[in-house]
Amino acid sequence: MRYHPIHMVIVVAAVLFILFSEENALSSEYITVQEFNAIHPRQVGIGKKFSELVKAKGIPTQKETQQKPVKIAFIYPGEQASDYWRRSITSFKARMNKIRIQFDMVEYFSKPVVDYREQERQIKKALDRMPDYLVFTLDINKHKRIIERIVTEEKPKIILQNITTPLKIWEGKQPFLYVGFDHAIGARLIAKYYIRKTYGTGRYAVLFFSQGYVSTMRGNTFIEYLQKNSDLKLVSSYFTDGNREKSKRATIEILNEFPDVKFIYACSTDVALGAIDALKEKGAQNKVMINGWGGGSKELEMIESRNMDITVMRMNDDNGVAMAEAIKYDIEGRKNDVPTIYSGNFVLVEKGLGQDNLNKLKKRAFRYSGMN
Amino acid sequence: MIPYKPKRHSFLIGIYIFISLAIFSTLLLTWSYYSAIEAINKELTTSFTQRHIVCEVAMEDQLDLLDLGLNEIRSNTNFLQKVITGDKSGAQAELFKILDLDVSNNFDILFVNLPQFPVWADASSSFFNTDLVLSSIAGNKQINRTGMVYRVKNSSSDLTMLIKSIPIIHNNSGRILGRLFGGVVLNNNLSLLEKIKGKIKSESVGFFVNGDLIGSTDRIDAKTTKSLQRARNEVKTNEIYSTDGLIALYNNINLLGQRTPLEVITAISDKPLKDVTRSYKIKTLIISLLSIAFVIASVLIIRSLTNPSLKKLLVYSKKITSGRIDARYSPGRIIELNQVGQSMEDMVDSLKAANEEIKIETSERKQAEETLRKTDIHLRTLLRTVPDLVWLKDKDGIFLFCNSKFERLFGAKEKEIIGKTDYDFVQKELADAFRKYDTIAMEKGIPSINEEEVFYADDGHKELLETIKTPIYGTNGEFIGVLGISRDITDRKRTEEKRIALEEKLRQAQKMEAVGTLAGGIAHDFNNLLMGIQGRASLLSTDLEPYQRPLLEHINAIEDCVRSAADLTKQLLGLGRGGKYEVLPIDINELIINSKKLFGRTKKEIRIETKLQNPPPVVEADRRQIEQVLLNLYINAWQAMPNGGVIYLATEAVTLDESFCRPYEVKSGRYAKISITDTGIGMDDSVRQQIFDPFFTTKEKSRGTGLGLASAYGIIKNHFGIITVHSKVGQGTTFTIYLPISDKEVHQNTPAKKEAIGGSETILLVDDEDMIIEVGGRMLVKLGYRVVIAKGGRQAVDMVKVKGQEIDMVILDLVMPDIDGARAFDLIRDIYPMMPVILSSGYSLDGKANEIMKKGCNGFIQKPFNMSDMSQKLRKILDEAKRSSKPNG
């Protein structure tokens, strides 16, 4: 085959183009809430109003609004120590009933992370039922690849839970709702706590979740914040896949290698529980501080028993309420009043907090899912 | 030819430059714009070609990744062991394990194909319906390590994938155990699409297979996605398509030199194209502004260069225009303009001479025009104000003009009349008549005159019009119309009728005057003759001897004849208004009554009725003459009633006005009206008109002289009165007499003595007739007077001068050849103012005699007179003269 000079020019130009394009592709995969609001300024107002709606008691929809029950498919990594997912569903159902939305819900719970093909199968099954809404969480890249197959479709509408930072590549075709608690905010709250307790000096270790979104948002945000705002040195970090046992083993290794660490930052409840197990075993409970993440029931027990130093408590049930109110607005034809991102509030809970105060927080956070 | 508005030369040059620049700029911009568009299209084509290559590279990368992953799996010992041992579930579990552990592994399709089992161990994504797909894939021998784009479309699924297979080889024996298939589904493969989109910096990227959209970087319901679908459907491959703010191009993907069914469409924003358009708009604007600036600058420069010369030319032309034709052109920098200036100078010189002539002509023309204008105004004013009706019609009778008087006739304004015909305003019969005279004037080509009585529409009054219709022709002889002028001749007609009547009366009066003069002359001479006869008869009778007494009968008969003849001469003198002998205030009623008695006694068959005014009217008149008039009229009435009848006599005091009196040439005032009406046969107009003519009679010769009514006419006229007649055949006749009423007392009539009275005084008898001298002298002598004779006025005066003391009275003839009676009277009275004078004449007491009487003449005696009449008159005057000469006596 003979090459014309023009072909050479085109090939060279293409190579340069690729190099240039590659540089862009290396930029961050996610958009923070602040970045998203900057791109979509209207979202700020919409978000505020929606937050007020979530905090409110809920107004039943008109009967004639809904012709038939909405079909909702929940696919949750619910088989975890954290009761976040369970409480979300409970509060969601309760709010749906309160605002009198008829719904037909199918729930799929799977183990987090590892059961990838299982989740695919569940999604397939769920989609075969032609749901109106698919509630799903996003963790590893494979999840993203599954969601992207349907994110450009008109149906089902996707609610991504436990994520508040939209994917950059989905800009322009974002899912119906991102709902959760901003990991970055929680991470910064805990970071500030540790800076205060350590006066910003000393060494620390990090126990990541699995590789993926949660680890990135909770772990990296925390590390970056400390780097910028303190002299604390990260000496060791582990991916634990959210596994309590793996976390325990990783903690023991850390304590053996770096016995002077002032605290170990855990990226989830199960990870924190594994770390507490290790601290107990090594008798380092009062020497090395440990945190929880989310303020679920297990964590609060640990706070009460003074085994855990600090946690960020999510006003858990607001997530379920937000999903219910978003569906209600959609049914009512007020899709534009639904924000793309709903981020719930956090409260910092430290060991030693009185029982009454704790109960008040629980009552607020679990207003639909209950105190226990 | 459409007139154009003149412009400044700099403006025209500016326009020319501007248009030239505009055309040039437009052509230049259009050419460069389309060149740019062409360049952009080439650039776009190149750009899209580059993008497409990047797409193909990305797809090949994807194939490389697949190859890498499959190699990794194939080389996994655990997996290979399970395949060798035929542990299907074990092999499958190993595949899952590898997928879970390697997050970079993106296999959607992953299965093992053994010779006896097409799909032996399967780890494909359960998200896709792969049950029927996998066997199809496994059966496709073209899917090898090279890889390909493969579409499987069946009832349950439609998947397009990048797929390849590699052999699974036994480590030791090298035997091929089977094949490992691995692939990535392209349907909605957003990661791959976004990756490509990121690499080629496009707005949007889509996958098509055989025209079906299988994936897009945008939502399926997004506008961009729809634009991509439209682009795919509406243009051919590798053809640039612009829509909804996007520029798109699609092309098939070639993998390793092999064409695949996969088409990638890439779309970029059309902003670059818009930028070019915008850029050219800005350039156009800038060029336009620069052009305008250039034009303005050019105009200014041209103006600055040409204006001084043009101004000089303009100044020169203005000087010429303002009349300063002696001005000279001052040359400027532009040769052509200098030539124009020089030509203008030459032209002005030529025109100067011509101008003088034109001035004169213009002045004359203006004067003529002014005169014409004034004339026109005067004419129009005249036509409008003239009391006549004036109008102009065209050949069809349509009004072209009319004046104010005419407007009254039709009761309409001129503007309402113009354009219409007579038929629009008057009845058809009258309009026909109008039209008839129009036609006559038009056909004959000469004016027609007619009279017509019309009623005016404005107030309904009537006028008799005399209309002249004149055909009007233009300068070229063409017929224009008929000019009508109507004049009201109602008064003129009436006046003319009156004038005719007056002329008739005047003619009658003149005739009577002539006849009267003739008759008077005859009567005078006849009276002189009669005087001779009478005198001789009187002398003869006094000289008769007793034996001659029988002759006295004859003398008396002669005297009767003289009296009859004298009566006749009286008639003649009355006819000639020969004067009144004794004018005294008389009672008309008494005169009527006496005359009625006198006439009634003789005509018993006539009954006379009277109706008299009380108090009785008094007039100053000669009683005997008026009696004569009445008797003449009675006789005339009697003769008109041969079988008898009634005569009605009436008197009345009336006042006659000027209009009534003027034809009769008498003064207006109070009059005594005397009417004599009979019930006789009457008369026709022809008779009536001649009734007062002398010698006119309808009677037999023996019954009348024809002088009765003529004399009556003369007597009444002599009394400044009026006599008229009214008669109709079979209805009788009325004569009416008007005499001026007098305020004086009625004179009581006393009868005079008839015997002769003598005297001894000396009397100067003056007459040019020898016969009168002789007879008169003898009669005076007979009466005892001493007579002195003078045969003319001069002689009489001389004798008075000489013997005036001896003369007691003068009998003076009126008409004499040398000095007439009037002159002689004056001269005698100059000598002897108290000298008694009696005037004697064959004429009656007419004008001249009356004048002498008014000067103090003592009496008048009418020839012929007899001795008795003369003696009484002489005696009376002589006695009065004596009484007046004796003071206190």
Side-chain angles (χ1 to χ4, degrees), chain B residues 167-315:
Chain B
I168 304 169
I169 303 167
H170 194 287
N171 278 346
N172 297 327
S173 63
R175 182 170 62 93
I176 295 174
L177 301 171
R179 295 190 71 80
L180 181 62
F181 283 83
V184 176
V185 173
L186 297 177
N187 297 62
N188 287 339
N189 194 330
L190 202 57
S191 297
L192 184 58
L193 285 164
E194 287 292 342
K195 187 178 173 184
I196 293 169
K197 179 185 166 186
K199 284 186 175 182
I200 62 174
K201 294 177 75 178
S202 297
E203 287 288 315
S204 195
V205 178
F207 286 158
F208 284 86
V209 176
N210 299 328
D212 297 330
L213 179 71
I214 61 167
S216 165
T217 51
D218 297 290
R219 289 181 64 85
I220 199 78
D221 56 346
K223 186 179 169 187
T224 317
T225 306
K226 288 174 181 169
S227 297
L228 293 181
Q229 282 178 318
R230 202 160 46 246
R232 169 59 184 80
N233 294 334
E234 292 181 10
V235 294
K236 294 174 183 174
T237 179
N238 209 19
E239 196 171 280
I240 291 171
Y241 179 78
S242 178
T243 178
D244 300 327
L246 293 174
I247 300 171
L249 183 139
Y250 73 93
N251 216 333
N252 286 83
I253 291 291
N254 293 325
L255 290 178
L256 302 172
Q258 297 295 314
R259 184 184 174 87
T260 71
L262 180 67
E263 296 163 349
V264 176
I265 184 162
T266 54
I268 60 170
S269 168
D270 66 354
K271 191 169 171 294
L273 196 60
K274 281 183 176 168
D275 285 347
V276 170
T277 309
R278 188 165 155 271
S279 160
Y280 271 88
K281 280 180 182 172
I282 292 167
K283 281 178 188 169
T284 306
L285 182 65
I286 290 168
I287 288 173
S288 300
L289 291 173
L290 285 174
S291 299
I292 290 167
F294 177 73
V295 167
I296 291 168
S298 301
V299 168
L300 290 175
I301 290 166
I302 290 165
R303 278 187 69 176
S304 68
L305 289 173
T306 58
N307 261 17
S309 297
L310 280 171
K311 263 187 182 171
K312 282 183 178 178
L313 194 61
L314 188 64
V315 166

Side-chain angles (χ1 to χ4, degrees), chain B residues 240-436:
Chain B
I240 291 171
Y241 179 78
S242 178
T243 178
D244 300 327
L246 293 174
I247 300 171
L249 183 139
Y250 73 93
N251 216 333
N252 286 83
I253 291 291
N254 293 325
L255 290 178
L256 302 172
Q258 297 295 314
R259 184 184 174 87
T260 71
L262 180 67
E263 296 163 349
V264 176
I265 184 162
T266 54
I268 60 170
S269 168
D270 66 354
K271 191 169 171 294
L273 196 60
K274 281 183 176 168
D275 285 347
V276 170
T277 309
R278 188 165 155 271
S279 160
Y280 271 88
K281 280 180 182 172
I282 292 167
K283 281 178 188 169
T284 306
L285 182 65
I286 290 168
I287 288 173
S288 300
L289 291 173
L290 285 174
S291 299
I292 290 167
F294 177 73
V295 167
I296 291 168
S298 301
V299 168
L300 290 175
I301 290 166
I302 290 165
R303 278 187 69 176
S304 68
L305 289 173
T306 58
N307 261 17
S309 297
L310 280 171
K311 263 187 182 171
K312 282 183 178 178
L313 194 61
L314 188 64
V315 166
Y316 175 66
S317 69
K318 277 186 177 174
K319 281 179 183 175
I320 300 300
T321 309
S322 63
R324 293 165 59 190
I325 52 176
D326 294 327
R328 308 310 294 172
Y329 172 67
S330 169
R333 283 194 296 191
I334 299 172
I335 294 168
E336 288 82 356
L337 292 179
N338 290 345
Q339 287 171 344
V340 172
Q342 188 56 49
S343 296
M344 282 175 72
E345 275 187 0
D346 296 343
M347 192 168 63
V348 168
D349 290 339
S350 304
L351 287 173
K352 213 186 290 179
N355 190 38
E356 288 303 318
E357 290 177 21
I358 291 168
K359 265 185 185 175
I360 295 165
E361 282 179 15
T362 305
S363 172
E364 287 173 354
R365 199 184 67 215
K366 276 186 180 174
Q367 206 170 347
E369 282 175 355
E370 180 62 19
T371 306
L372 190 64
R373 192 181 65 80
K374 282 181 181 175
T375 306
D376 186 54
I377 290 168
H378 292 160
L379 185 61
R380 283 183 175 277
T381 308
L382 179 68
L383 285 173
R384 294 202 185 286
T385 55
V386 73
D388 294 342
L389 291 80
V390 183
W391 71 94
L392 182 66
K393 294 183 205 172
D394 68 8
K395 61 181 171 53
D396 298 319
I398 295 169
F399 283 96
L400 304 174
F401 165 81
C402 72
N403 70 345
S404 307
K405 184 70 182 291
F406 191 88
E407 287 177 345
R408 292 185 60 199
L409 178 66
F410 281 180
K413 291 291 172 191
E414 184 189 10
K415 62 182 179 184
E416 296 164 349
I417 296 169
I418 287 173
K420 295 178 181 172
T421 66
D422 294 312
Y423 293 93
D424 294 316
F425 296 98
V426 299
Q427 290 187 340
K428 186 179 179 301
E429 292 75 15
L430 186 56
D432 285 341
F434 289 159
R435 191 65 187 143
K436 183 181 84 178

Side-chain angles (χ1 to χ4, degrees), chain B residues 577-846:
Chain B
R577 294 187 231 172
K580 298 161 284 189
Y581 310 109
E582 283 185 298
V583 178
L584 295 168
I586 57 171
D587 178 349
I588 283 294
N589 284 359
E590 188 242 328
L591 197 65
I592 292 287
I593 291 164
N594 288 339
S595 62
K596 171 194 164 189
K597 283 179 184 172
L598 181 66
F599 184 73
R601 276 199 296 270
T602 56
K603 308 297 180 205
K604 298 294 184 186
E605 70 276 19
I606 300 297
R607 185 163 61 90
I608 301 174
E609 297 286 342
T610 56
K611 185 182 177 186
L612 304 176
Q613 167 80 32
N614 190 23
V618 176
V619 300
E620 288 184 65
D622 185 318
R623 183 186 186 87
R624 283 189 298 177
Q625 284 187 336
I626 299 304
E627 273 180 348
Q628 185 185 332
V629 169
L630 291 173
L631 287 172
N632 282 344
L633 294 176
Y634 295 162
I635 289 164
N636 195 71
W638 165 69
Q639 288 175 341
M641 295 185 292
N643 299 321
V646 182
I647 296 175
Y648 295 96
L649 302 176
T651 59
E652 190 180 356
V654 295
T655 300
L656 301 182
D657 59 17
E658 182 68 28
S659 62
F660 186 86
C661 295
R662 195 181 304 116
Y664 301 103
E665 296 176 325
V666 296
K667 291 178 182 174
S668 59
R670 284 173 56 73
Y671 281 79
K673 177 184 176 186
I674 306 154
S675 55
I676 301 98
T677 305
D678 64 53
T679 55
I681 57 175
M683 62 186 96
D684 58 24
D685 279 352
S686 62
V687 173
R688 186 178 54 77
Q689 285 172 3
Q690 300 178 76
I691 196 72
F692 293 116
D693 286 357
F695 310 112
F696 175 78
T697 181
T698 59
K699 303 162 196 154
E700 302 162 14
K701 291 272 183 186
S702 59
R703 289 191 64 187
T705 60
L707 287 173
L709 290 177
S711 173
Y713 180 87
I715 289 167
I716 294 302
K717 292 300 286 182
N718 204 32
H719 282 78
F720 310 110
I722 300 167
I723 181 166
T724 61
V725 60
H726 177 76
S727 181
K728 279 193 177 175
V729 175
Q731 292 184 6
T733 301
T734 298
F735 284 93
T736 306
I737 298 166
Y738 298 93
L739 291 170
I741 284 181
S742 173
D743 295 331
K744 292 180 181 175
E745 290 280 323
V746 174
H747 180 265
Q748 296 302 320
N749 194 23
T750 50
K753 292 176 185 174
K754 291 293 180 183
E755 58 270 17
I757 305 166
S760 58
E761 289 89 349
T762 301
I763 293 172
L764 175 59
L765 177 63
V766 184
D767 204 309
D768 61 330
E769 294 279 344
D770 290 339
M771 182 187 69
I772 300 299
I773 292 289
E774 188 183 346
V775 173
R778 285 193 181 192
M779 287 171 73
L780 289 170
V781 171
K782 204 68 170 179
L783 289 169
Y785 295 104
R786 198 163 63 87
V787 177
V788 180
I789 300 297
K791 287 189 177 179
R794 192 172 298 281
Q795 191 179 3
V797 173
D798 291 342
M799 288 187 77
V800 169
K801 283 179 182 173
V802 176
K803 298 179 181 176
Q805 292 293 335
E806 298 172 16
I807 297 170
D808 296 306
M809 178 185 276
V810 179
I811 297 172
L812 185 62
D813 187 18
L814 187 60
V815 182
M816 289 181 292
D818 52 354
I819 295 176
D820 66 0
R823 178 65 181 152
F825 174 80
D826 292 339
L827 293 171
I828 291 169
R829 279 292 175 95
D830 287 343
I831 301 165
Y832 288 101
M834 299 304 290
M835 177 67 74
V837 178
I838 289 178
L839 205 58
S840 169
S841 179
Y843 289 108
S844 59
L845 189 60
D846 59 3

